[in-house]
Amino acid sequence: MSAARSSPIRVRPIRVRPIRALPVEAFHDPFTRRLLAHRGLTTELLERRERCRLRIRVLEQTPAAPELADPGLRDVLRLAPGVPALSRRTELVTPLGRAVSRNLVLGRVPSDASVAASVTGRTAPLGRALARLGVPNRRTLLTTGLGEWPGPDGAAPAAAREYLIHLAGEAPLYVRETFHPAVAPPLPRPGHPALFPGFRPPLGRTA
């Protein structure tokens, strides 16, 4: 009796579009500036802003072959050519299901099983899951600026940032956070409007 053949893992290409880099000081709203510069748990800041407990909604979690705008980032993440990376897209949502942020995580799945479970889990945001596990980690901010938030009339500008999470004994993870324009207004600070071409007012809140 022949052994059953395992199905090959389907790896899809994913293009990571760069955000429009802007300094934190270019944003008018104090909370937006604080959020973009924050080095701690993003979830806690957003929960204080929204005055509610946020939960995670996993939109997609698959092996992927990322195309990164910065080719050196692949080396930093220790992604060998042809070796799939974890691509994880999530949202932080209110009890009513309104998304306040959209998040992308790319990188190698950690070799430690408990750390891998925290990174790929579906019950807690990444930072909170790592904190509960007691995993030593630190963050290196890469870029702040403008990303896009999808809406019924097309994408609207949204405050966004990219950073690395360095885990003890593991390859770093790349994280992209994009914030709902009504939660972290991406309004230009006086003196910086030229940095915001084609700016439109933020989207209103929805339940």
Side-chain angles (χ1 to χ4, degrees), residues 124-141:
L126 177 57
R128 182 166 283 165
L130 293 173
R132 286 176 180 172
L133 190 62
V135 177
N137 65 88
R138 61 182 176 85
R139 303 184 181 199
T140 300
L141 187 63

Side-chain angles (χ1 to χ4, degrees), residues 90-101:
T90 62
E91 293 178 337
L92 284 179
V93 300
T94 67
L96 294 178
R98 175 172 56 85
V100 300
S101 73

Side-chain angles (χ1 to χ4, degrees), residues 117-183:
S118 295
V119 171
T120 61
R122 295 175 176 269
T123 60
L126 177 57
R128 182 166 283 165
L130 293 173
R132 286 176 180 172
L133 190 62
V135 177
N137 65 88
R138 61 182 176 85
R139 303 184 181 199
T140 300
L141 187 63
L142 298 175
T143 314
T144 60
L146 287 176
E148 294 182 341
W149 190 276
D153 299 320
R161 66 176 186 164
E162 302 170 308
Y163 58 88
L164 298 177
I165 294 184
H166 303 269
L167 304 173
E170 303 284 356
L173 297 172
Y174 166 90
V175 179
R176 160 88 61 90
E177 295 176 331
T178 306
F179 305 103
H180 193 292
V183 175

Side-chain angles (χ1 to χ4, degrees), residues 64-86:
E67 297 177 19
L68 301 168
D70 180 357
L73 194 54
R74 175 175 287 275
D75 295 332
V76 172
L77 298 179
R78 305 178 203 169
L79 298 178
V83 176
L86 169 71

Side-chain angles (χ1 to χ4, degrees), residues 60-64 66 79 84-88 104-110 116 119-120 173:
E60 182 182 48
Q61 187 163 269
T62 60
L79 298 178
L86 169 71
S87 172
R88 174 179 165 94
L104 168 66
V105 176
L106 293 173
R108 293 173 54 177
V109 177
V119 171
T120 61
L173 297 172

